[in-house]
């Protein structure tokens, strides 16, 4: 899936854009199927199962995504 196929929920005028403003990190996206895609710094909090990964995003970015979704 290409980034262009996703709806960006943060940094697109629905809030302050988080710590990177309009830059490339971190962001929350929504896919056409409605799933949530998160982009952020890799975390080493624990080792996830095969095929999974951990990312860290600031609370402000998550709050912005929730506002964009109207939750």
């Amino acid at each position: 899936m290409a980034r262009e196929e996703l709806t960006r929920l943060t940094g697109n005028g629905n809030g302050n854009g988080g710590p990177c403003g309009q830059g490339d990190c971190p962001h929350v996206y929504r896919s056409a199927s409605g799933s949530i895609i998160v982009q952020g710094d890799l975390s080493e909090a624990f080792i996830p199962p095969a095929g999974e990964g951990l990312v860290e995003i600031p609370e402000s970015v998550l709050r912005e995504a929730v506002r964009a979704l109207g939750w």
Side-chain angles (χ1 to χ4, degrees):
M1 166 182 330
R3 185 185 303 196
E4 294 77 26
E5 298 175 56
L6 303 172
T7 301
R8 194 160 91 178
L9 300 175
T10 58
N12 61 1
N14 292 325
N16 65 9
C20 292
Q22 295 294 321
D24 197 34
C25 69
H27 285 293
V28 178
Y29 301 85
R30 189 171 198 181
S31 71
S33 67
S35 64
I36 303 297
I37 312 289
V38 178
Q39 175 186 352
D41 294 330
L42 290 177
S43 172
E44 296 180 4
F46 64 89
I47 298 174
E52 296 183 6
L54 303 175
V55 298
E56 292 187 31
I57 60 168
E59 181 180 330
S60 62
V61 174
L62 186 56
R63 287 180 180 275
E64 183 181 1
V66 169
R67 279 194 304 272
L69 290 168
W71 293 352

